[in-house]
Amino acid sequence: MSIAILGYGVVGSGAYEILTKAGYRVSRVLDLRSYPELGDKLTHDIEDIINDKDITVVAEAIGGNTFSYDFASRALKAGKHVVSSNKHLICSYYKELHALAKENGVTIRFTASAGGGIPWLYNLKRGLLCDRIYKVMGIMNGTTNYILDAMIRDSRDFADVLKEAQALGYAEANPSADIDGLDVARKTAISSSIAFDAVVSEDDVLVFSLRNIQKGDIDYIAAKCGKTVRYLGYGMRTENGIAAFVEPTLLSADALESNVFTNNNMISLFGDYVGRLSFYGQGAGKYPTGNALGQDIINILQGDTALIEPKTDAVMHNEEAKRAYFIRTSSETALDFAVSEERVGNVRYIFTDKIGVSVMHEAAKTILAQDEKSFFAGIEE
Amino acid sequence: MSIAILGYGVVGSGAYEILTKAGYRVSRVLDLRSYPELGDKLTHDIEDIINDKDITVVAEAIGGNTFSYDFASRALKAGKHVVSSNKHLICSYYKELHALAKENGVTIRFTASAGGGIPWLYNLKRGLLCDRIYKVMGIMNGTTNYILDAMIRDSRDFADVLKEAQALGYAEANPSADIDGLDVARKTAISSSIAFDAVVSEDDVLVFSLRNIQKGDIDYIAAKCGKTVRYLGYGMRTENGIAAFVEPTLLSADALESNVFTNNNMISLFGDYVGRLSFYGQGAGKYPTGNALGQDIINILQGDTALIEPKTDAVMHNEEAKRAYFIRTSSETALDFAVSEERVGNVRYIFTDKIGVSVMHEAAKTILAQDEKSFFAGIEE
């Protein structure tokens, strides 16, 4: 009984180190690059892993959703359990991978793919054992939290902090997946799929980018209502289905999330019996994510191979989730759901009534067409 | 395969309701009182449960450590898995219960006994799969957090808030176990025993009571250093062993614990790989604790019966954990580790250098002998 790891990048090498030190046998590592320290464990050929009957668990840490899907599918078909840290893969092929695992009598685990270090998804699944979860929400992306924290703490501009985060390796050269919300949308989709037992795809999740936030917005919000800003993903049951969205969000200073700094995560579930449970820590990184992969693997090796299959596609009702918004724009579009408005020069600062989330996102398209720098944020009650 | 619940009080009845609604079969409930709604499931005789081969899991929610120990031991000897919500039982017989479980090829689980709702102990155990934990700490008692929060928020006196908490059912008629720290000491002992794989007993844990805190202390601390106060349990590895203590503690306003209000809990582990992980929610209560019992039971019914046995007794070195302290006293005892002192009338407000925890607790005995109202609090860095 041994383990194979696909991809020897940051996460794969972290998992390799952790599992090896803990006494588990990683017999094969797939990577196209060469790593002399891996000796003959290194292979460039997935067949070496698929055909090796001694390998019972395959850990996928390649990223993307092409090779990763091909390799994960073949591992499942070969009767091997699959563990993944790859939110792109899981989000793209949630149903297919679960169906393949079921067909072949194995399991698939992906705690490491969203809030891995915390460990969020594992607890979310366990939370369903005898409770009903009606909401998930939280800070799911370390890069954007690092940026917001630095902007707030040191009164700096977005672009300036982003540049620093890129230099430090906290943000990618192309930062769009983080700052435009795709990363959080995928994590929200995966979390919602588990919580509500219905597959939410990344396209179902409405997203406001964080990109347009300015130092002046933070100052205005603090002065006007004493609140701070975090970038949050939300999934919730509504009257007739599910709502899921990613938005910069105004929070009271005494909210738990307001004391989450630097690149930390905090994700919460809300259950009928347990109320609110929150999980805090390093969401990602070599060792936190490697450890999450390692834990999922060890659970499987210890015999915990239960598979929770998603029942249906989600029926989205993003209009049924209601919240108030803050808007900063120089667009002159009339907003009949505004409850207060202040003008500074040609800039309008607007607080709205509670409206459907999809109503706001629809209206935002018109406003952004007139002022592409407009900033939108939901308001947490 | 069915479940028996011992004790139909707050927790036992919560677990009964949750498990039954989730479709699990609770075939017997032991309680000396009568509950017509339980029909012939109710028994007053433990033999009905011990001798029933269909019962594979026994959930103990009686409390205390006499009947509970007798019944849990007999269930283990009869080859039944045992799940408990009872910190007194677990803390008193940690080694004995684990040894009995091992002898009889079954397991014992007690997530519900400390931070049950969060669910803390389950995550702590899972955190050990491939990481080394060097510290646990947190707000483990809802009653004292409720009292502190109300004192701080509404500038009220300890006695006044305690009376209210008693009226609301948040504090017992005899509140000593909560406000004098025994409850937190037991939870700290159990958490430390798991985290460090060495049995820490409640007597190993040094405790400063919360009882002596005054409104004036909170005001003085806020004015002097901008900090707030929470009542925390700590367990940590030291150079040569383990330290464990329970102390009112000064925290910065931006500490996560400073935004934990009312009767909520937040407990954290610190691991080599994962760094700090924190778990927040309702630590106790009918449904949160009942749900924790239910989850442990369902895990066992699903085949997860791994037992983690404690290896040794802990070697305590409470002198090796160092921290600074705040002291308010009218004792005139000289303190050579004081770094600042202010007098207001005959009251001394002292901040100390970093000293060994046991050094402070030893010195406190002399000080308390001269002024039994003296207040001691550790300072979190």
Side-chain angles (χ1 to χ4, degrees):
Chain A
M1 238 172 40
S2 70
I3 301 156
I5 296 177
L6 312 185
Y8 198 66
V10 172
V11 173
S13 65
Y16 179 84
E17 182 182 331
I18 289 169
L19 285 162
T20 306
K21 277 198 188 158
Y24 292 89
R25 197 157 70 85
V26 180
S27 61
R28 283 291 192 181
V29 177
L30 177 79
D31 203 296
L32 293 180
R33 296 161 289 190
S34 76
Y35 294 98
E37 72 269 28
L38 290 174
D40 58 7
K41 287 184 179 176
L42 183 70
T43 174
H44 306 313
D45 186 355
I46 186 71
E47 296 297 335
D48 286 345
I49 290 164
I50 301 298
N51 297 326
D52 186 339
K53 292 226 152 50
D54 187 53
I55 293 170
T56 51
V57 185
V58 172
E60 185 278 312
I62 299 177
N65 71 348
T66 52
F67 291 112
S68 64
Y69 181 56
D70 181 31
F71 296 168
S73 305
R74 288 161 74 183
L76 291 168
K77 285 178 191 159
K80 299 178 193 309
H81 303 290
V82 167
V83 169
S84 175
S85 61
N86 180 346
K87 62 190 164 294
H88 190 180
L89 169 68
I90 300 302
C91 207
S92 305
Y93 297 105
Y94 196 91
K95 276 191 292 191
E96 292 81 354
L97 291 166
H98 280 80
L100 271 178
K102 195 185 181 192
E103 270 170 50
N104 293 283
V106 289
T107 197
I108 176 158
R109 294 283 161 87
F110 41 89
T111 306
S113 72
I118 302 189
W120 161 241
L121 294 180
Y122 186 88
N123 276 285
L124 180 59
K125 275 192 185 176
R126 192 165 185 270
L128 292 165
L129 284 178
C130 46
D131 201 0
R132 176 183 163 277
I133 291 172
Y134 58 90
K135 182 173 158 187
V136 294
M137 62 94 86
I139 299 169
M140 305 185 186
N141 179 278
T143 304
T144 46
N145 204 65
Y146 177 90
I147 292 172
L148 277 172
D149 181 27
M151 288 181 73
I152 294 165
R153 190 188 297 257
D154 304 325
S155 192
R156 290 167 63 190
D157 269 325
F158 183 86
D160 172 38
V161 179
L162 174 59
K163 206 172 289 174
E164 178 193 83
Q166 287 171 316
L168 289 168
Y170 291 169
E172 311 272 342
N174 177 351
S176 174
D178 289 323
I179 67 175
D180 293 325
L182 177 61
D183 178 89
V184 183
R186 285 177 176 156
K187 290 168 176 169
T188 300
I190 296 172
S191 302
S192 300
S193 299
I194 295 175
F196 313 131
D197 195 18
V199 182
V200 176
S201 80
E202 66 188 63
D203 298 333
D204 291 330
V205 184
L206 297 178
V207 176
F208 280 142
S209 170
L210 185 68
R211 190 187 281 269
N212 286 355
I213 192 168
Q214 297 172 358
K215 193 167 67 177
D217 298 327
I218 291 169
D219 295 341
Y220 184 89
I221 291 160
K224 213 67 190 174
C225 57
K227 290 188 191 277
T228 188
V229 183
R230 289 292 183 272
Y231 196 41
L232 300 180
Y234 286 87
M236 57 186 73
R237 292 182 189 274
T238 63
E239 200 181 338
N240 297 293
I242 291 166
F245 48 94
V246 175
E247 295 178 344
T249 298
L250 275 51
L251 293 159
S252 322
D254 66 1
L256 276 177
E257 289 82 2
S258 302
N259 277 0
V260 174
F261 304 113
T262 66
N263 62 341
N264 283 290
N265 286 194
M266 174 178 277
I267 319 184
S268 303
L269 64 85
F270 296 74
D272 287 345
Y273 291 129
V274 296
R276 172 180 168 155
L277 292 189
S278 301
F279 303 88
Y280 164 90
Q282 287 283 314
K286 175 172 180 160
Y287 291 117
T289 310
N291 188 64
L293 265 185
Q295 290 182 327
D296 273 358
I297 292 169
I298 296 169
N299 280 153
I300 290 172
L301 294 176
Q302 290 179 344
D304 174 13
T305 58
L307 179 73
I308 303 175
E309 255 200 310
K311 290 211 181 52
T312 56
D313 282 336
V315 178
M316 300 305 295
H317 280 280
N318 281 321
E319 80 288 0
E320 291 182 346
K322 312 269 188 206
R323 67 191 328 209
Y325 284 90
F326 167 78
I327 306 167
R328 185 259 309 140
T329 186
S330 56
S331 151
E332 290 299 331
T333 303
L335 289 170
D336 56 10
F337 42 76
V339 290
S340 76
E341 176 171 338
E342 188 174 4
R343 277 176 187 268
V344 180
N346 70 339
V347 179
R348 301 161 71 197
Y349 293 98
I350 298 161
F351 286 91
T352 79
D353 211 348
K354 274 188 168 191
I355 52 171
V357 168
S358 56
V359 176
M360 183 71 254
H361 282 253
E362 203 49 49
K365 289 179 191 167
T366 312
I367 297 170
L368 282 164
Q370 292 164 356
D371 170 13
E372 64 175 17
K373 300 283 184 202
S374 304
F375 174 68
F376 301 86
I379 302 175
E380 182 70 19
E381 286 178 65
Chain B
M1 241 173 38
S2 70
I3 301 156
I5 296 177
L6 313 185
Y8 198 65
V10 173
V11 173
S13 64
Y16 178 85
E17 182 182 331
I18 289 170
L19 285 162
T20 305
K21 277 198 188 159
Y24 291 88
R25 198 158 69 86
V26 180
S27 60
R28 284 292 192 178
V29 177
L30 177 80
D31 203 296
L32 292 180
R33 296 161 289 191
S34 75
Y35 294 97
E37 73 270 26
L38 289 174
D40 58 7
K41 286 185 179 176
L42 183 70
T43 174
H44 306 315
D45 185 357
I46 185 71
E47 296 296 334
D48 286 345
I49 290 166
I50 300 299
N51 297 326
D52 185 339
K53 292 227 151 48
D54 186 54
I55 293 170
T56 52
V57 185
V58 172
E60 183 278 313
I62 299 176
N65 71 348
T66 52
F67 291 113
S68 64
Y69 180 57
D70 181 31
F71 296 169
S73 305
R74 286 162 75 182
L76 291 168
K77 285 178 192 159
K80 300 178 193 309
H81 303 289
V82 167
V83 169
S84 174
S85 61
N86 180 345
K87 62 190 164 292
H88 191 179
L89 167 69
I90 300 300
C91 208
S92 304
Y93 296 105
Y94 196 90
K95 276 191 293 191
E96 292 81 354
L97 291 167
H98 279 82
L100 270 178
K102 193 184 181 192
E103 271 170 50
N104 293 283
V106 289
T107 196
I108 175 157
R109 293 283 161 87
F110 41 88
T111 305
S113 72
I118 302 191
W120 161 242
L121 294 180
Y122 185 87
N123 276 285
L124 180 59
K125 275 192 186 177
R126 191 165 185 271
L128 292 165
L129 284 177
C130 47
D131 201 0
R132 175 185 165 275
I133 291 172
Y134 59 89
K135 182 173 157 186
V136 295
M137 62 93 85
I139 298 169
M140 306 184 186
N141 178 279
T143 305
T144 46
N145 205 65
Y146 177 90
I147 292 171
L148 277 173
D149 180 27
M151 288 180 74
I152 294 165
R153 190 187 298 257
D154 305 324
S155 192
R156 291 166 63 190
D157 270 325
F158 183 87
D160 173 37
V161 178
L162 173 60
K163 206 172 288 172
E164 178 193 82
Q166 287 170 315
L168 290 168
Y170 290 168
E172 311 271 343
N174 178 352
S176 174
D178 289 321
I179 66 175
D180 292 325
L182 177 61
D183 178 88
V184 184
R186 284 177 176 154
K187 290 168 176 169
T188 300
I190 296 172
S191 302
S192 300
S193 298
I194 294 175
F196 313 131
D197 194 20
V199 181
V200 176
S201 79
E202 67 188 61
D203 297 334
D204 291 330
V205 184
L206 297 178
V207 176
F208 281 141
S209 170
L210 185 69
R211 188 186 284 269
N212 286 354
I213 192 168
Q214 297 172 0
K215 192 166 67 177
D217 298 328
I218 290 169
D219 296 341
Y220 184 88
I221 291 161
K224 214 66 189 174
C225 58
K227 290 186 191 278
T228 188
V229 183
R230 289 292 183 272
Y231 197 40
L232 300 179
Y234 286 87
M236 58 187 74
R237 291 182 189 274
T238 64
E239 200 182 337
N240 297 292
I242 291 166
F245 48 94
V246 175
E247 296 177 343
T249 297
L250 276 51
L251 293 160
S252 321
D254 67 0
L256 276 176
E257 289 82 2
S258 301
N259 277 1
V260 174
F261 304 113
T262 65
N263 62 340
N264 282 293
N265 287 194
M266 173 178 278
I267 319 185
S268 303
L269 64 85
F270 295 74
D272 288 344
Y273 292 128
V274 296
R276 173 179 168 155
L277 292 189
S278 301
F279 303 88
Y280 164 90
Q282 287 281 314
K286 175 172 180 160
Y287 291 116
T289 310
N291 189 62
L293 265 185
Q295 291 182 327
D296 272 358
I297 291 169
I298 296 169
N299 281 153
I300 289 172
L301 293 177
Q302 290 179 344
D304 175 13
T305 59
L307 179 73
I308 302 176
E309 255 199 311
K311 290 211 181 54
T312 56
D313 282 336
V315 178
M316 300 305 294
H317 281 280
N318 282 320
E319 79 289 1
E320 292 182 346
K322 313 271 188 202
R323 67 192 326 209
Y325 285 89
F326 167 79
I327 307 166
R328 186 260 307 143
T329 185
S330 56
S331 152
E332 290 299 332
T333 303
L335 289 170
D336 55 11
F337 42 75
V339 289
S340 76
E341 176 170 339
E342 188 174 4
R343 276 176 188 269
V344 180
N346 69 339
V347 178
R348 302 161 70 195
Y349 293 97
I350 299 162
F351 286 91
T352 80
D353 211 347
K354 275 189 167 190
I355 53 170
V357 168
S358 57
V359 176
M360 183 71 254
H361 282 252
E362 202 49 49
K365 288 179 192 166
T366 312
I367 297 170
L368 282 163
Q370 293 164 355
D371 170 13
E372 63 175 18
K373 300 284 186 200
S374 305
F375 174 67
F376 302 86
I379 302 174
E380 183 69 18
E381 284 177 65

